[in-house]
Amino acid sequence: MRSASFLVAMAVVIGAAVVARAEVTSGPQVGETVGAFTVTKVAGNPDDGFPVGRTGCYRCKTGSKPVVMVFARSADDKLAKLLKKIEEEVEEHQSEKLTSFVNMIGADAESLKKASEEFATKHGITRIAFVVPEHAENGPPDFKIAPDADLTIVCYKGGEVKANHAFAKGGLTDEKITSVVEASCNLVE
């Protein structure tokens, strides 16, 4: 009987660890300010006044607009699903100037640039810009993007963070996608 109780206790601990691993703390938190940082635009949103190949501050370009800023280490089908939903919101809230951009991060900036362009084309994502930060491995140092965060989503308006969602690899579920999309909608309500 004692060993059965031990097994149940271990299952609870392991289950909690899996849940905790799915969500991590990463990036600027609610109430903090999103500062300037340098990126190179590689794909997406041809109407943003920031041409592909340009290096500069995309955060500065968005000014006080409501923004869904994504830092992604993996470009998979779940990311594509999330971005398609965000793209729908960007389209729907044009009058409120809702915008979004994806920072692809990882060890090799040149590979990230090529992969980002291919990902945007493959999934038909056109209203969201894809950029690679100057500090490509983990994004801007003062943003504190966690090394174990596969995906960090920061919703901000006027430079102030209104929502933050971060996930370890495999942590983005359909339910979490809905939460992120709701947070992006709250920026324009």
Side-chain angles (χ1 to χ4, degrees), residues 6 31 36 48 51 53 85 94 106 110 119 125 131 143 150 156 169:
F6 176 75
D48 63 3
K85 295 282 188 188
Q94 287 182 47
E110 289 309 310
F119 180 82
I125 300 168
V131 302
F143 276 39
D150 190 54
Y156 66 89
K169 183 110 177 126

Side-chain angles (χ1 to χ4, degrees), residues 1-184:
M1 192 66 143
R2 188 169 181 211
S3 64
S5 297
F6 176 75
L7 289 175
V8 169
M10 287 305 295
V12 169
V13 169
I14 290 169
V18 169
V19 170
R21 208 184 115 200
E23 292 190 47
V24 296
T25 300
S26 179
Q29 300 298 301
V30 174
E32 294 180 351
T33 301
V34 176
F37 63 104
T38 303
V39 300
T40 300
K41 183 175 177 186
V42 295
N45 199 350
D47 302 323
D48 63 3
F50 204 95
V52 169
R54 178 177 174 189
T55 297
C57 179
Y58 203 87
R59 176 352 198 161
C60 301
K61 180 71 178 159
T62 62
S64 62
K65 294 177 185 173
V67 179
V68 180
M69 177 176 63
V70 177
F71 288 88
R73 295 183 193 282
S74 301
D76 58 16
D77 288 340
K78 282 292 187 184
L79 176 64
K81 186 173 184 175
L82 169 68
L83 295 179
K84 293 301 278 179
K85 295 282 188 188
I86 292 172
E87 193 168 52
E88 289 172 10
E89 295 304 319
V90 167
E91 180 73 27
E92 183 178 330
H93 296 285
Q94 287 182 47
S95 62
E96 293 96 345
K97 301 189 184 320
L98 178 64
T99 192
S100 181
F101 67 105
V102 177
N103 297 271
M104 294 304 295
I105 56 177
D108 181 13
E110 289 309 310
S111 294
L112 290 169
K113 290 174 184 177
K114 183 177 182 204
S116 298
E117 184 178 2
E118 290 171 358
F119 180 82
T121 300
K122 175 183 175 183
H123 294 284
I125 300 168
T126 58
R127 298 193 60 80
I128 297 175
F130 284 78
V131 302
V132 174
E134 178 180 60
H135 298 279
E137 189 161 353
N138 289 307
D142 56 338
F143 276 39
K144 299 177 186 139
I145 304 299
D148 59 341
D150 190 54
L151 189 60
T152 302
I153 303 124
V154 180
C155 299
Y156 66 89
K157 185 175 183 178
E160 182 183 340
V161 177
K162 303 297 183 183
N164 173 298
H165 303 270
F167 307 98
K169 183 110 177 126
L172 184 62
T173 63
D174 289 345
E175 184 178 282
K176 300 295 183 185
I177 288 172
T178 300
S179 294
V180 171
V181 171
E182 286 173 3
S184 69

